[in-house]
Amino acid sequence: MSLPKTLAEDVARNLVMVARLLDEDPEQAYAYARIALRLASRVAAVREAAGFAAYATQKYAEALAEFRASRRMTGSVELWPVMADCERGLGRPERAMAMAGEPEVQKLDKAGQVEMRLVAAGARRDMGQIDAAIVTLQSSELASSAVHPWTPRLRYAYADALLAAGREDEAREWFGKALEADKDGSTDASDRLAELDGVEFVDVLGDDDEDGTPVSAPAAAADDVESPAVADADDLDEDDANDEDGPVKA
């Protein structure tokens, strides 16, 4: 829907602040999202932004409500993976798994399908099904040597699942592959590799190291190392607000 010019400008300013602060200060981003929501709750982009702000602050029921509202307004399926992850956050991994098998997944682009795979693997792990999580992550996207924005996270999730299953050598290999693809530092694969190799990074500032250069040293001998919205009343009907589903980037 269109908004009066002055109101549209106010809403836009708040949405810009949400985007700017979401990673570094999610609580402040959430505050701006709430202002935008009060000003324009019938705008899908506002509902989506409010959902992501709530999601970033672990308000999963509220995030799910906002994502559902946005989806009803647009008919888009692109929020399907994050909606499923909200179900995980609410302690309902079985619902996330059910969503992974719905027809909506086939309508997602490649990035969305990979994201859904990551969520499904996480749900498997939530349910204690580590071997099933590993199998879920095994795919043509994982095997491909091509690097896409989602490649580091997919490889990292696979490495982490292998490590949880006690397959340390394979985990080390895949943490290395994640690091190779992770040009932007979106994962802590380097730290995980160092941990597996028994290396501890210590900041040392002494008489001879006045510049505070980080020093790395073996943590132990190799043999000693052991192997980590409130939904608007006009947009949400009474069932959405009260049903047990809750009101709604590797």
Side-chain angles (χ1 to χ4, degrees), residues 108-161:
L108 294 167
D109 61 13
K110 180 61 68 177
Q113 290 181 5
V114 170
E115 194 66 34
M116 193 69 240
R117 188 176 294 276
L118 288 167
V119 173
R124 290 290 191 190
R125 293 190 63 171
D126 294 343
M127 295 186 286
Q129 301 172 4
I130 185 62
D131 290 335
I134 291 172
V135 172
T136 298
L137 292 167
Q138 292 171 342
S139 60
S140 59
E141 293 84 9
L142 180 68
S144 174
S145 60
V147 174
H148 301 278
W150 38 260
T151 300
R153 292 178 57 239
L154 180 59
R155 294 178 179 179
Y156 182 96
Y158 188 59
D160 193 49

CSV table of all heavy atoms in Angstrom, one decimal, residues 108-161:
chain,number,residue,atom,x,y,z
A,108,LEU,N,11.6,-22.2,-3.6
A,108,LEU,CA,12.7,-21.3,-3.2
A,108,LEU,C,13.8,-21.3,-4.2
A,108,LEU,O,14.0,-22.3,-5.0
A,108,LEU,CB,13.3,-21.8,-1.9
A,108,LEU,CG,12.4,-21.8,-0.6
A,108,LEU,CD1,13.0,-22.6,0.5
A,108,LEU,CD2,12.1,-20.3,-0.2
A,109,ASP,N,14.5,-20.2,-4.3
A,109,ASP,CA,15.7,-20.2,-5.1
A,109,ASP,C,16.8,-21.1,-4.5
A,109,ASP,O,16.6,-21.6,-3.4
A,109,ASP,CB,16.2,-18.8,-5.4
A,109,ASP,CG,16.6,-18.0,-4.1
A,109,ASP,OD1,16.8,-18.7,-3.1
A,109,ASP,OD2,16.8,-16.8,-4.2
A,110,LYS,N,17.9,-21.2,-5.2
A,110,LYS,CA,19.0,-22.1,-4.7
A,110,LYS,C,19.5,-21.7,-3.3
A,110,LYS,O,19.6,-22.6,-2.4
A,110,LYS,CB,20.2,-22.1,-5.6
A,110,LYS,CG,21.3,-23.0,-5.2
A,110,LYS,CD,20.9,-24.4,-5.1
A,110,LYS,CE,20.6,-25.0,-6.5
A,110,LYS,NZ,20.3,-26.5,-6.4
A,111,ALA,N,19.7,-20.4,-3.1
A,111,ALA,CA,20.1,-20.0,-1.8
A,111,ALA,C,19.1,-20.3,-0.7
A,111,ALA,O,19.4,-20.7,0.4
A,111,ALA,CB,20.3,-18.4,-1.8
A,112,GLY,N,17.8,-20.1,-1.0
A,112,GLY,CA,16.7,-20.5,0.0
A,112,GLY,C,16.7,-22.0,0.2
A,112,GLY,O,16.4,-22.4,1.4
A,113,GLN,N,16.9,-22.8,-0.8
A,113,GLN,CA,16.9,-24.2,-0.6
A,113,GLN,C,18.1,-24.7,0.3
A,113,GLN,O,17.9,-25.6,1.2
A,113,GLN,CB,16.9,-24.9,-1.9
A,113,GLN,CG,15.6,-24.8,-2.7
A,113,GLN,CD,15.6,-25.5,-4.0
A,113,GLN,OE1,16.5,-26.2,-4.3
A,113,GLN,NE2,14.6,-25.3,-4.8
A,114,VAL,N,19.2,-24.1,0.1
A,114,VAL,CA,20.4,-24.4,1.0
A,114,VAL,C,20.1,-23.9,2.4
A,114,VAL,O,20.4,-24.7,3.4
A,114,VAL,CB,21.6,-23.7,0.4
A,114,VAL,CG1,22.8,-23.8,1.4
A,114,VAL,CG2,22.1,-24.3,-0.9
A,115,GLU,N,19.5,-22.8,2.5
A,115,GLU,CA,19.1,-22.3,3.9
A,115,GLU,C,18.2,-23.2,4.6
A,115,GLU,O,18.3,-23.5,5.7
A,115,GLU,CB,18.5,-20.9,3.8
A,115,GLU,CG,18.4,-20.2,5.1
A,115,GLU,CD,19.8,-19.9,5.7
A,115,GLU,OE1,20.7,-19.6,5.0
A,115,GLU,OE2,19.9,-19.9,7.0
A,116,MET,N,17.2,-23.8,3.8
A,116,MET,CA,16.2,-24.7,4.3
A,116,MET,C,16.9,-26.0,4.8
A,116,MET,O,16.6,-26.6,5.8
A,116,MET,CB,15.2,-25.0,3.3
A,116,MET,CG,13.9,-25.7,3.9
A,116,MET,SD,12.9,-24.7,5.0
A,116,MET,CE,13.0,-25.7,6.5
A,117,ARG,N,17.9,-26.4,4.0
A,117,ARG,CA,18.7,-27.6,4.3
A,117,ARG,C,19.5,-27.4,5.7
A,117,ARG,O,19.5,-28.3,6.5
A,117,ARG,CB,19.7,-27.9,3.2
A,117,ARG,CG,20.4,-29.3,3.3
A,117,ARG,CD,21.3,-29.5,2.1
A,117,ARG,NE,20.5,-29.7,0.9
A,117,ARG,CZ,19.9,-30.9,0.6
A,117,ARG,NH1,20.1,-32.0,1.3
A,117,ARG,NH2,19.3,-31.0,-0.6
A,118,LEU,N,20.0,-26.2,5.8
A,118,LEU,CA,20.7,-25.9,7.1
A,118,LEU,C,19.8,-25.9,8.3
A,118,LEU,O,20.1,-26.4,9.3
A,118,LEU,CB,21.4,-24.5,7.0
A,118,LEU,CG,22.6,-24.4,6.1
A,118,LEU,CD1,23.0,-23.0,5.8
A,118,LEU,CD2,23.8,-25.1,6.7
A,119,VAL,N,18.6,-25.4,8.1
A,119,VAL,CA,17.6,-25.4,9.2
A,119,VAL,C,17.2,-26.8,9.5
A,119,VAL,O,17.1,-27.2,10.7
A,119,VAL,CB,16.4,-24.5,8.8
A,119,VAL,CG1,15.3,-24.7,9.8
A,119,VAL,CG2,16.8,-23.1,8.6
A,120,ALA,N,16.9,-27.6,8.5
A,120,ALA,CA,16.5,-29.0,8.7
A,120,ALA,C,17.6,-29.8,9.4
A,120,ALA,O,17.3,-30.6,10.3
A,120,ALA,CB,16.2,-29.7,7.3
A,121,ALA,N,18.8,-29.6,9.0
A,121,ALA,CA,19.9,-30.3,9.7
A,121,ALA,C,20.0,-29.8,11.2
A,121,ALA,O,20.2,-30.6,12.1
A,121,ALA,CB,21.3,-30.0,9.0
A,122,GLY,N,19.8,-28.5,11.4
A,122,GLY,CA,19.8,-28.0,12.8
A,122,GLY,C,18.6,-28.7,13.6
A,122,GLY,O,18.8,-29.0,14.8
A,123,ALA,N,17.5,-28.8,13.0
A,123,ALA,CA,16.4,-29.5,13.6
A,123,ALA,C,16.7,-30.9,14.0
A,123,ALA,O,16.3,-31.4,15.1
A,123,ALA,CB,15.1,-29.4,12.7
A,124,ARG,N,17.3,-31.6,13.1
A,124,ARG,CA,17.8,-33.0,13.3
A,124,ARG,C,18.7,-33.0,14.6
A,124,ARG,O,18.6,-33.9,15.4
A,124,ARG,CB,18.5,-33.6,12.1
A,124,ARG,CG,17.6,-33.8,10.9
A,124,ARG,CD,16.7,-35.0,11.2
A,124,ARG,NE,16.0,-35.4,9.9
A,124,ARG,CZ,15.0,-36.3,9.9
A,124,ARG,NH1,14.6,-36.8,11.0
A,124,ARG,NH2,14.5,-36.7,8.8
A,125,ARG,N,19.6,-32.1,14.6
A,125,ARG,CA,20.5,-32.0,15.8
A,125,ARG,C,19.8,-31.7,17.1
A,125,ARG,O,20.1,-32.3,18.1
A,125,ARG,CB,21.6,-31.0,15.5
A,125,ARG,CG,22.6,-31.4,14.4
A,125,ARG,CD,23.8,-30.6,14.3
A,125,ARG,NE,24.6,-30.6,15.6
A,125,ARG,CZ,25.8,-30.1,15.7
A,125,ARG,NH1,26.4,-29.5,14.7
A,125,ARG,NH2,26.5,-30.2,16.8
A,126,ASP,N,18.8,-30.8,17.0
A,126,ASP,CA,17.9,-30.5,18.1
A,126,ASP,C,17.3,-31.8,18.7
A,126,ASP,O,17.1,-31.9,19.9
A,126,ASP,CB,16.9,-29.5,17.8
A,126,ASP,CG,17.4,-28.1,17.4
A,126,ASP,OD1,18.6,-27.9,17.7
A,126,ASP,OD2,16.6,-27.4,16.8
A,127,MET,N,16.9,-32.7,17.8
A,127,MET,CA,16.3,-33.9,18.2
A,127,MET,C,17.3,-35.0,18.5
A,127,MET,O,16.9,-36.2,18.7
A,127,MET,CB,15.3,-34.4,17.1
A,127,MET,CG,14.1,-33.4,16.9
A,127,MET,SD,12.9,-34.0,15.7
A,127,MET,CE,13.7,-33.8,14.2
A,128,GLY,N,18.6,-34.7,18.5
A,128,GLY,CA,19.6,-35.7,18.9
A,128,GLY,C,19.9,-36.6,17.7
A,128,GLY,O,20.5,-37.7,17.9
A,129,GLN,N,19.5,-36.3,16.5
A,129,GLN,CA,19.7,-37.2,15.4
A,129,GLN,C,20.9,-36.7,14.6
A,129,GLN,O,20.8,-36.2,13.4
A,129,GLN,CB,18.5,-37.2,14.5
A,129,GLN,CG,17.2,-37.7,15.2
A,129,GLN,CD,15.9,-37.5,14.4
A,129,GLN,OE1,16.0,-37.1,13.3
A,129,GLN,NE2,14.8,-37.9,15.0
A,130,ILE,N,22.1,-36.8,15.1
A,130,ILE,CA,23.3,-36.3,14.5
A,130,ILE,C,23.7,-36.9,13.2
A,130,ILE,O,24.0,-36.2,12.2
A,130,ILE,CB,24.5,-36.3,15.5
A,130,ILE,CG1,25.7,-35.6,14.9
A,130,ILE,CG2,24.8,-37.8,15.9
A,130,ILE,CD1,25.5,-34.1,14.7
A,131,ASP,N,23.5,-38.2,13.1
A,131,ASP,CA,23.8,-38.9,11.8
A,131,ASP,C,22.9,-38.4,10.7
A,131,ASP,O,23.3,-38.2,9.6
A,131,ASP,CB,23.8,-40.4,12.0
A,131,ASP,CG,24.9,-41.0,12.8
A,131,ASP,OD1,26.0,-40.3,12.9
A,131,ASP,OD2,24.8,-42.0,13.4
A,132,ALA,N,21.6,-38.3,11.1
A,132,ALA,CA,20.6,-37.8,10.1
A,132,ALA,C,20.9,-36.3,9.7
A,132,ALA,O,20.7,-36.0,8.5
A,132,ALA,CB,19.2,-37.9,10.7
A,133,ALA,N,21.5,-35.5,10.6
A,133,ALA,CA,21.8,-34.2,10.3
A,133,ALA,C,23.0,-34.2,9.3
A,133,ALA,O,23.0,-33.4,8.3
A,133,ALA,CB,22.3,-33.4,11.6
A,134,ILE,N,23.9,-35.1,9.5
A,134,ILE,CA,25.0,-35.2,8.5
A,134,ILE,C,24.5,-35.5,7.1
A,134,ILE,O,24.9,-34.9,6.1
A,134,ILE,CB,26.1,-36.2,9.0
A,134,ILE,CG1,26.8,-35.7,10.3
A,134,ILE,CG2,27.1,-36.5,7.9
A,134,ILE,CD1,27.7,-36.7,11.0
A,135,VAL,N,23.7,-36.5,7.1
A,135,VAL,CA,23.1,-36.9,5.8
A,135,VAL,C,22.3,-35.8,5.1
A,135,VAL,O,22.4,-35.6,3.9
A,135,VAL,CB,22.2,-38.2,5.9
A,135,VAL,CG1,21.5,-38.5,4.7
A,135,VAL,CG2,23.1,-39.4,6.4
A,136,THR,N,21.6,-35.0,5.9
A,136,THR,CA,20.8,-33.9,5.4
A,136,THR,C,21.6,-32.9,4.7
A,136,THR,O,21.2,-32.3,3.7
A,136,THR,CB,20.0,-33.2,6.6
A,136,THR,OG1,19.1,-34.2,7.1
A,136,THR,CG2,19.2,-32.0,6.1
A,137,LEU,N,22.8,-32.7,5.3
A,137,LEU,CA,23.7,-31.7,4.7
A,137,LEU,C,24.5,-32.1,3.5
A,137,LEU,O,25.0,-31.3,2.7
A,137,LEU,CB,24.7,-31.2,5.8
A,137,LEU,CG,24.1,-30.4,6.9
A,137,LEU,CD1,25.1,-30.3,8.1
A,137,LEU,CD2,23.7,-29.0,6.5
A,138,GLN,N,24.6,-33.4,3.3
A,138,GLN,CA,25.3,-34.0,2.1
A,138,GLN,C,24.4,-33.7,0.8
A,138,GLN,O,23.3,-34.2,0.7
A,138,GLN,CB,25.5,-35.5,2.3
A,138,GLN,CG,26.5,-35.8,3.4
A,138,GLN,CD,26.6,-37.3,3.7
A,138,GLN,OE1,25.7,-38.0,3.4
A,138,GLN,NE2,27.7,-37.6,4.4
A,139,SER,N,25.0,-33.0,-0.1
A,139,SER,CA,24.2,-32.6,-1.2
A,139,SER,C,25.2,-32.2,-2.4
A,139,SER,O,26.4,-32.1,-2.1
A,139,SER,CB,23.3,-31.4,-0.9
A,139,SER,OG,24.1,-30.3,-0.4
A,140,SER,N,24.6,-31.9,-3.5
A,140,SER,CA,25.4,-31.5,-4.6
A,140,SER,C,26.1,-30.1,-4.3
A,140,SER,O,27.2,-29.8,-4.8
A,140,SER,CB,24.6,-31.4,-5.9
A,140,SER,OG,23.5,-30.5,-5.8
A,141,GLU,N,25.3,-29.3,-3.6
A,141,GLU,CA,25.9,-28.0,-3.2
A,141,GLU,C,27.1,-28.1,-2.3
A,141,GLU,O,28.0,-27.3,-2.4
A,141,GLU,CB,24.8,-27.1,-2.5
A,141,GLU,CG,23.6,-26.7,-3.4
A,141,GLU,CD,22.6,-27.8,-3.5
A,141,GLU,OE1,22.7,-28.8,-2.7
A,141,GLU,OE2,21.7,-27.6,-4.3
A,142,LEU,N,27.1,-29.1,-1.4
A,142,LEU,CA,28.2,-29.3,-0.5
A,142,LEU,C,29.4,-29.9,-1.3
A,142,LEU,O,30.5,-29.5,-1.0
A,142,LEU,CB,27.8,-30.3,0.6
A,142,LEU,CG,28.9,-30.6,1.6
A,142,LEU,CD1,29.2,-29.4,2.5
A,142,LEU,CD2,28.5,-31.8,2.5
A,143,ALA,N,29.1,-30.7,-2.2
A,143,ALA,CA,30.2,-31.4,-3.0
A,143,ALA,C,30.8,-30.5,-4.0
A,143,ALA,O,31.9,-30.7,-4.4
A,143,ALA,CB,29.7,-32.6,-3.7
A,144,SER,N,30.1,-29.4,-4.4
A,144,SER,CA,30.6,-28.6,-5.5
A,144,SER,C,31.8,-27.8,-5.1
A,144,SER,O,31.9,-27.3,-3.9
A,144,SER,CB,29.5,-27.6,-5.9
A,144,SER,OG,29.9,-26.6,-6.8
A,145,SER,N,32.7,-27.6,-6.0
A,145,SER,CA,33.9,-26.8,-5.7
A,145,SER,C,33.6,-25.3,-5.9
A,145,SER,O,34.4,-24.4,-5.6
A,145,SER,CB,35.1,-27.2,-6.6
A,145,SER,OG,34.7,-27.0,-8.0
A,146,ALA,N,32.5,-25.0,-6.5
A,146,ALA,CA,32.1,-23.6,-6.8
A,146,ALA,C,31.8,-22.9,-5.4
A,146,ALA,O,31.3,-23.6,-4.5
A,146,ALA,CB,30.9,-23.5,-7.7
A,147,VAL,N,32.1,-21.6,-5.3
A,147,VAL,CA,31.9,-20.9,-4.1
A,147,VAL,C,30.8,-19.9,-4.3
A,147,VAL,O,30.8,-19.1,-5.2
A,147,VAL,CB,33.2,-20.2,-3.6
A,147,VAL,CG1,32.9,-19.3,-2.4
A,147,VAL,CG2,34.3,-21.2,-3.3
A,148,HIS,N,29.8,-20.0,-3.4
A,148,HIS,CA,28.6,-19.1,-3.4
A,148,HIS,C,28.6,-18.4,-2.1
A,148,HIS,O,29.3,-18.8,-1.1
A,148,HIS,CB,27.4,-19.8,-3.7
A,148,HIS,CG,27.4,-20.6,-5.0
A,148,HIS,ND1,27.1,-20.0,-6.2
A,148,HIS,CD2,27.7,-21.9,-5.3
A,148,HIS,CE1,27.2,-20.8,-7.2
A,148,HIS,NE2,27.6,-22.0,-6.7
A,149,PRO,N,27.7,-17.4,-1.9
A,149,PRO,CA,27.6,-16.7,-0.6
A,149,PRO,C,27.3,-17.7,0.5
A,149,PRO,O,27.7,-17.5,1.7
A,149,PRO,CB,26.5,-15.7,-0.8
A,149,PRO,CG,26.6,-15.4,-2.3
A,149,PRO,CD,26.9,-16.7,-2.9
A,150,TRP,N,26.5,-18.7,0.3
A,150,TRP,CA,26.2,-19.7,1.3
A,150,TRP,C,27.2,-20.8,1.5
A,150,TRP,O,27.0,-21.6,2.5
A,150,TRP,CB,24.8,-20.3,1.0
A,150,TRP,CG,24.5,-20.6,-0.4
A,150,TRP,CD1,23.8,-19.8,-1.3
A,150,TRP,CD2,25.0,-21.7,-1.2
A,150,TRP,NE1,23.8,-20.4,-2.6
A,150,TRP,CE2,24.5,-21.6,-2.5
A,150,TRP,CE3,25.8,-22.8,-0.9
A,150,TRP,CZ2,24.8,-22.5,-3.5
A,150,TRP,CZ3,26.0,-23.7,-1.9
A,150,TRP,CH2,25.6,-23.6,-3.2
A,151,THR,N,28.2,-20.9,0.7
A,151,THR,CA,29.1,-22.0,0.7
A,151,THR,C,29.8,-22.2,2.1
A,151,THR,O,29.9,-23.3,2.7
A,151,THR,CB,30.1,-22.0,-0.4
A,151,THR,OG1,29.4,-22.0,-1.7
A,151,THR,CG2,31.1,-23.1,-0.3
A,152,PRO,N,30.4,-21.1,2.6
A,152,PRO,CA,31.1,-21.2,3.9
A,152,PRO,C,30.2,-21.7,5.0
A,152,PRO,O,30.7,-22.6,5.8
A,152,PRO,CB,31.6,-19.8,4.2
A,152,PRO,CG,31.6,-19.1,2.9
A,152,PRO,CD,30.5,-19.7,2.1
A,153,ARG,N,29.0,-21.3,5.1
A,153,ARG,CA,28.1,-21.7,6.2
A,153,ARG,C,27.7,-23.2,6.0
A,153,ARG,O,27.6,-23.9,7.0
A,153,ARG,CB,26.9,-20.8,6.2
A,153,ARG,CG,27.2,-19.4,6.7
A,153,ARG,CD,25.9,-18.5,6.7
A,153,ARG,NE,24.9,-19.1,7.5
A,153,ARG,CZ,23.7,-19.4,7.1
A,153,ARG,NH1,23.4,-19.2,5.8
A,153,ARG,NH2,22.8,-19.9,7.9
A,154,LEU,N,27.5,-23.6,4.8
A,154,LEU,CA,27.1,-25.0,4.5
A,154,LEU,C,28.3,-25.9,4.9
A,154,LEU,O,28.1,-26.9,5.6
A,154,LEU,CB,26.7,-25.2,3.0
A,154,LEU,CG,26.3,-26.6,2.6
A,154,LEU,CD1,25.1,-27.1,3.4
A,154,LEU,CD2,26.0,-26.6,1.1
A,155,ARG,N,29.5,-25.6,4.5
A,155,ARG,CA,30.6,-26.4,4.8
A,155,ARG,C,30.9,-26.4,6.3
A,155,ARG,O,31.3,-27.4,6.9
A,155,ARG,CB,31.9,-25.9,4.1
A,155,ARG,CG,31.8,-26.1,2.5
A,155,ARG,CD,33.0,-25.5,1.8
A,155,ARG,NE,33.0,-25.7,0.4
A,155,ARG,CZ,33.9,-25.3,-0.5
A,155,ARG,NH1,35.0,-24.7,0.0
A,155,ARG,NH2,33.8,-25.5,-1.7
A,156,TYR,N,30.7,-25.2,6.9
A,156,TYR,CA,31.0,-25.1,8.4
A,156,TYR,C,30.0,-26.0,9.1
A,156,TYR,O,30.3,-26.7,10.1
A,156,TYR,CB,30.8,-23.6,8.8
A,156,TYR,CG,31.1,-23.4,10.3
A,156,TYR,CD1,32.3,-23.0,10.7
A,156,TYR,CD2,30.1,-23.6,11.2
A,156,TYR,CE1,32.6,-22.7,12.0
A,156,TYR,CE2,30.3,-23.3,12.6
A,156,TYR,CZ,31.6,-22.9,13.0
A,156,TYR,OH,31.8,-22.7,14.3
A,157,ALA,N,28.7,-25.9,8.7
A,157,ALA,CA,27.7,-26.7,9.4
A,157,ALA,C,28.0,-28.2,9.3
A,157,ALA,O,27.8,-29.0,10.3
A,157,ALA,CB,26.3,-26.4,8.9
A,158,TYR,N,28.5,-28.6,8.1
A,158,TYR,CA,28.8,-30.0,7.9
A,158,TYR,C,30.0,-30.4,8.8
A,158,TYR,O,30.0,-31.5,9.4
A,158,TYR,CB,29.1,-30.2,6.4
A,158,TYR,CG,29.3,-31.7,6.0
A,158,TYR,CD1,28.3,-32.6,6.2
A,158,TYR,CD2,30.5,-32.1,5.5
A,158,TYR,CE1,28.5,-33.9,5.9
A,158,TYR,CE2,30.7,-33.4,5.1
A,158,TYR,CZ,29.7,-34.3,5.3
A,158,TYR,OH,29.9,-35.7,4.9
A,159,ALA,N,31.0,-29.6,8.9
A,159,ALA,CA,32.2,-29.8,9.7
A,159,ALA,C,31.7,-29.9,11.2
A,159,ALA,O,32.2,-30.8,11.9
A,159,ALA,CB,33.2,-28.7,9.5
A,160,ASP,N,30.9,-29.0,11.6
A,160,ASP,CA,30.5,-29.0,13.0
A,160,ASP,C,29.7,-30.3,13.3
A,160,ASP,O,29.8,-30.9,14.4
A,160,ASP,CB,29.6,-27.8,13.3
A,160,ASP,CG,29.4,-27.5,14.7
A,160,ASP,OD1,30.4,-27.6,15.5
A,160,ASP,OD2,28.2,-27.3,15.1
A,161,ALA,N,28.8,-30.7,12.4
A,161,ALA,CA,28.1,-32.0,12.6
A,161,ALA,C,29.0,-33.2,12.7
A,161,ALA,O,28.8,-34.1,13.5
A,161,ALA,CB,27.0,-32.1,11.5
